Amino acid sequence: MRFSQLYAPTVKEAPADAEVVSHALLYRAGFIRKAAAGVYTYLPLAKRTLSKIENIVREEMNKIGAQEISMPIIHPAELWQMTGRWDDYGDEMMKLKDRHGRDFALGPTHEEMVTFLVKDEVRSYKQLPLFLYQIGPKYRDEIRPRFGLLRAREFIMKDGYSFHDSEESLDEAYKACSDAYSKIVERINLKYMIVEAASGAIGGSQSHEFVSFAQVGETNLLRCNSCGYSSSDEQAPYRGEYEKIEEDEKLIQLVHTPNVRTVQQVADFLSVEPKRIVKSLLFVGRNGFVMALIQGDRELNVEKLKVFMKDQSLRLATPDEVFETFKVPIGFVGPVGVNVPIVADHGVRHLKNVVVGGMKEDYHYVNANVGRDFNPDHYTDLVLVVENDPCPVCGKPLQAMKGIELGHVFKLGTKYSQSMGAYYMDREGNLKPFIMGCYGWGVSRTMAAVVEQLNDEDGIIWPRSIAPYEVIVTVVSMNDERQKKFAESLYRELNNKGIEALLDDREISPGMKFKDADLIGFPLRITVGKSLQDGFVELKLRNEKNQTRIEADVSKVVQTCVNMLDSYDPQRGR
Amino acid sequence: MRFSQLYAPTVKEAPADAEVVSHALLYRAGFIRKAAAGVYTYLPLAKRTLSKIENIVREEMNKIGAQEISMPIIHPAELWQMTGRWDDYGDEMMKLKDRHGRDFALGPTHEEMVTFLVKDEVRSYKQLPLFLYQIGPKYRDEIRPRFGLLRAREFIMKDGYSFHDSEESLDEAYKACSDAYSKIVERINLKYMIVEAASGAIGGSQSHEFVSFAQVGETNLLRCNSCGYSSSDEQAPYRGEYEKIEEDEKLIQLVHTPNVRTVQQVADFLSVEPKRIVKSLLFVGRNGFVMALIQGDRELNVEKLKVFMKDQSLRLATPDEVFETFKVPIGFVGPVGVNVPIVADHGVRHLKNVVVGGMKEDYHYVNANVGRDFNPDHYTDLVLVVENDPCPVCGKPLQAMKGIELGHVFKLGTKYSQSMGAYYMDREGNLKPFIMGCYGWGVSRTMAAVVEQLNDEDGIIWPRSIAPYEVIVTVVSMNDERQKKFAESLYRELNNKGIEALLDDREISPGMKFKDADLIGFPLRITVGKSLQDGFVELKLRNEKNQTRIEADVSKVVQTCVNMLDSYDPQRGR
């Protein structure tokens, strides 16, 4: 391709709404344009990179025996009503009516669709396991789309679904897909981590995320540099010491604490350490209110509470809900005399003479004691593990990082097959619901995640495997016939040798050409300029400072190109 | 791929709603499954065939310098409001609201989206011409989806758009894309025709359709076997003789014709020839009613009327609309004394003493005469040309055929650029709207059109270029170790040589295997059966009756395979 023909409008300024580097650079380098909030057009460079990502994903999925299909984007409501998710999915699902008034959704995920597909068609254990996947657009009506492709409303996903007649068979597919995902990230040269994850609204028993490291990212990660343990912060168990206070129980007292609401305010006002305060948080779930207690110096991990209570719908009660029932502002909520189930973190058990909310506006209790003044119904681990907490495996301090979720593997069990009546006949002739797994990979998101991890002040640094072109041949002066001619023959020979080259034949200044080459981020640049008259051209890898001078002989240049690309490491220097 | 692993559920019976052979066979052969009316899942075999069609289209588009992009499926209403098509497009456009109540459409076509994309970004004639295309899902909310993939609501299209600074430049792109389309159909081995077409709701000055011959099909074609002229019936001009009646004008008379409404009824009741009756049809358009007159033995071509009146919104008035204004049932409408613009076909001009509606229930005029009793405002060609009418080029009788529209090229002119304010600066520094072309190709429809044209009583006959697999290796008895072993090594060697082979290793009867092979329609079948013990295997092309016996030597069989596939003509015998 010649740059003069290529539709890649590069610009100096990032759009006003670009809060993250991938959004800014993909826009500036002419990869994406916005059509509406969270809805983007992929221009030719992006299309090339996305196709390469798709092909890598496709190859790795095919290798594990998964078969590519393509399911509809519009889903009849009936399918989602069978599993109850038509209502449960909430406002994030985009819905429409056809001309006859029938309800449809724009598929955010395809568990219902794929279960419907195999239902009554796969009838015997002999047809199992079966692993189907597709690559295509997905929809999520984000309340606030932002971060460019990282939180879009229309985005490209690979979603796979597997069907089994035993847990062991599911385990095998889960493992195979996890291994395939590792290969995908490695082929794309990303630094990543596999973390145990919460399975959220998809449901199921086990789940791992494949997370790419990034400066920004919705996933908080914890890693142990000592033993290699890693987890999302939502999943990490707390294995630290608990405070044990050995002192006599004092007399409980209700004290006036006007406008003193937060832990820090209470600590300051009453001159106590935060860890001697017990925070009381009211949640609402399927069965009404639940109170959670935790030491004042720790944050509560809501996921742990949900799992413990087996209630994914649990959420923090609003101030209005609390006031309506308990007639007290949330800053003064406490466990003394309250008539709701109480779940306390283990850390609360061994405290003595603590401060808790007074259950009365502007009042707190001091010297409250577990067992005497309030009685948790359950003790469990509710701590949100943070940086420097001990590693649950080896005890060394954990490190905190941010990441972008690229892939997600779930063990679904029989949730979908059972509710949709999708059964097979087992070896003994009994009808059983399929045991299922599901496996997502964010394709458009991968493109953005790569840019988040691989960039510098000049632009993007594409890994070779997904660069829109591997090499750019920059002609310094289009008026110089010799430069033009050499560049042309070099360009032809590179393409003949299967190296994807872009010829920058635009009639603009060399400075602008170099800037664009760096901004777009081609792995290798060949400069055909003044030194050609001395018989040389310059080769430069995107992330190296220095150029390599090479004799201007087409086949020698091509050979050096091949060698440099083969050894190119986009992560070098990070 | 091994058939035992492949998800291709073949079935004996076509679904109840399958009215056409492509729907029945693609379902029976395990290519497609319905998710909702007009909404289909593509199973692995279909996905392979579709990918091959997409790649052929992509290669031919890239060859003419078109660049692949990917535009959103959901379009903000504002874009469509700029061109007025938000309202004009009607019920066929699927619409939805996002969580904030903003309107979106599911793109049925992308003129607005692509014009918005280049607007303010392509600013100079130097950046022109520009040709962008994409391949992806499109939506049309058909009132009655049917014929499987031929009239679906969600379907795959290639849509391309070109931008120019002159008509000549547009002509070049139009020609280049037309040539590319011819190459596409030829690579897919379809019998087809290029016809002039009406540009319909898309608008524009010139338009051709690429139509595949079929037993069923929404396009009525006319072809001259003598000179090669071809056209859709909507576009063909009438070049036949017109009736000239030389007789004295008789006295006009209003006669009682109770319940006599159709031309045939009038002819029978009054004992006149249909060609002596003038049909009067009332249309409603932008400027109210228009009456069209045509001889009773001909049908009216509404497209010709629309073009003549320059009003694409023209449609037949409903009986209620007619009655409300004219107080007469439509069977008795006539031109005498009527106060609306009248457009008559040339054929009406030279008639004498004709029958027309009486503009009064149960009455007709006889002996009405042009010029004396009614005066058309315009004469033009309104005839729907039919089989055996003379060819407009050479005068020989035309032949009628049916076809399926695969591709469509349009010259749009400045309709979209002007209404959306998409301008570039020309050589002289003047702002001008882009001159545009647009170019559609039905990808999923191509798969169905191939099946419509290439099938027999046993199933599909795929052309090699888009067959899901080129060869099936059928093992007659999976209990025979020798057969299994030879088939395995043959299968491996075929794949090594780049021939896509499927190994039928299922433990079912050979009869069922042969039936499935024919139903799915692989170009070549290799049977590894009993004759292996005598040192032979059998090769059979899908559309030949006889098998070829070949020595069971892997490399010889592979070589014969290559030769047979190279010479394979799926159209042979049709």
Side-chain angles (χ1 to χ4, degrees), chain A residues 52-200:
Chain A
K52 291 185 181 188
I53 296 171
E54 286 175 15
N55 277 335
I56 290 172
V57 172
R58 181 174 289 124
E59 283 171 17
E60 296 303 332
M61 294 312 290
N62 291 350
K63 273 187 208 156
I64 62 167
Q67 297 180 62
E68 190 173 6
I69 62 173
S70 180
M71 290 182 274
I73 291 167
I74 57 174
H75 298 199
E78 296 76 41
L79 297 186
W80 289 76
Q81 281 155 352
M82 289 169 84
T83 61
R85 290 209 296 175
W86 181 256
D87 297 316
D88 285 0
Y89 217 91
D91 287 342
E92 285 198 357
M93 190 150 78
M94 291 185 137
K95 294 175 178 178
L96 71 145
K97 281 184 193 298
D98 74 5
R99 67 194 294 160
H100 303 296
R102 287 189 216 104
D103 286 309
F104 284 84
L106 297 189
T109 174
H110 281 59
E111 285 81 10
E112 280 81 357
M113 186 60 88
V114 77
T115 306
F116 174 73
L117 181 69
V118 302
K119 174 179 150 71
D120 302 328
E121 198 119 51
V122 176
R123 295 158 191 272
S124 160
Y125 71 92
K126 287 183 194 161
Q127 294 165 274
L128 299 176
L130 175 65
F131 198 138
L132 302 172
Y133 76 98
Q134 64 175 354
I135 300 175
K138 292 271 178 295
Y139 295 84
R140 194 181 299 148
D141 201 355
E142 295 283 358
I143 192 159
R144 198 182 153 208
R146 58 195 292 210
F147 303 149
L149 303 186
L150 290 176
R151 200 186 294 168
R153 296 200 285 176
E154 181 177 275
F155 49 95
I156 307 168
M157 285 269 299
K158 186 284 298 178
D159 48 324
Y161 307 89
S162 68
F163 300 86
H164 309 272
D165 64 351
S166 72
E167 288 294 338
E168 295 68 39
S169 170
L170 171 60
D171 287 347
E172 274 171 34
Y174 191 89
K175 169 85 167 55
C177 190
S178 298
D179 291 348
Y181 280 10
S182 293
K183 285 194 194 125
I184 292 168
V185 217
E186 281 153 22
R187 286 177 68 177
I188 296 174
N189 283 90
L190 279 179
K191 290 191 178 160
Y192 75 106
M193 200 160 118
I194 306 173
V195 296
E196 271 194 67
S199 30

Side-chain angles (χ1 to χ4, degrees), chain B residues 174 177-179 181-183 185-186 191-197 207-213 221-223 228-232 407 409:
Chain B
Y174 191 88
C177 190
S178 298
D179 291 348
Y181 280 10
S182 292
K183 286 194 195 127
V185 218
E186 282 152 21
K191 290 191 179 159
Y192 74 107
M193 200 161 116
I194 306 174
V195 296
E196 272 195 66
S207 166
H208 284 90
E209 279 179 17
F210 288 71
V211 183
S212 153
F213 297 140
L221 301 173
L222 293 165
R223 188 163 67 162
Y229 168 84
S230 64
S231 175
S232 74
V409 291

Side-chain angles (χ1 to χ4, degrees), chain A residues 488-524:
Chain A
E488 284 279 354
S489 53
L490 181 57
Y491 163 69
R492 269 197 307 274
E493 186 58 16
L494 284 166
N495 282 318
N496 285 344
K497 286 278 185 297
I499 296 172
E500 295 174 3
L502 182 69
L503 178 67
D504 196 346
D505 59 344
R506 294 176 299 168
E507 307 213 335
I508 58 172
S509 76
M512 283 168 78
K513 289 187 181 183
F514 295 145
K515 268 199 161 35
D516 276 353
D518 282 349
L519 178 60
I520 297 173
F522 307 101
L524 182 67

Side-chain angles (χ1 to χ4, degrees), chain A residues 5 7 33 39 41-42 44 47 67-70 72-74 98-100 121 139 141 143 153-154, chain B residues 5 7 33 39 41-42 44 67-70 72-74 98-100 121 139 141 143 153-154:
Chain A
Q5 309 292 318
Y7 191 58
R33 287 296 180 264
V39 182
T41 287
Y42 305 112
K47 187 70 198 167
Q67 297 180 62
E68 190 173 6
I69 62 173
S70 180
I73 291 167
I74 57 174
D98 74 5
R99 67 194 294 160
H100 303 296
E121 198 119 51
Y139 295 84
D141 201 355
I143 192 159
R153 296 200 285 176
E154 181 177 275
Chain B
Q5 308 292 317
Y7 191 59
R33 287 296 180 264
V39 181
T41 288
Y42 305 112
Q67 297 180 61
E68 189 174 6
I69 62 173
S70 180
I73 290 166
I74 58 173
D98 74 3
R99 66 193 295 160
H100 304 295
E121 197 117 51
Y139 294 83
D141 200 355
I143 193 159
R153 296 199 286 177
E154 180 177 275

Side-chain angles (χ1 to χ4, degrees), chain A residues 405-469:
Chain A
E405 181 194 330
L406 297 179
H408 210 148
V409 291
F410 293 95
K411 290 188 183 172
L412 295 175
T414 58
K415 173 176 166 171
Y416 295 91
S417 50
Q418 204 134 34
S419 56
M420 296 184 74
Y423 296 96
Y424 67 95
M425 197 166 279
D426 75 3
R427 232 170 259 273
E428 283 77 40
N430 304 311
L431 281 179
K432 295 251 179 85
F434 296 112
I435 298 169
M436 291 173 58
C438 91
Y439 316 89
W441 187 274
V443 170
S444 45
R445 166 169 267 247
T446 297
M447 180 163 75
V450 168
V451 179
E452 287 294 333
Q453 196 175 104
L454 293 168
N455 67 77
D456 63 16
E457 61 284 5
D458 297 320
I460 306 170
I461 301 170
W462 288 113
R464 181 183 183 185
S465 60
I466 63 166
Y469 294 91

Side-chain angles (χ1 to χ4, degrees), chain A residues 243 245 275 278 295 347-354 369:
Chain A
E243 197 73 27
I245 298 170
K275 65 182 182 186
V278 170
Q295 265 181 291
V348 172
R349 196 197 293 259
H350 306 291
L351 298 179
K352 280 264 157 44
N353 302 322
V354 296
N369 278 289

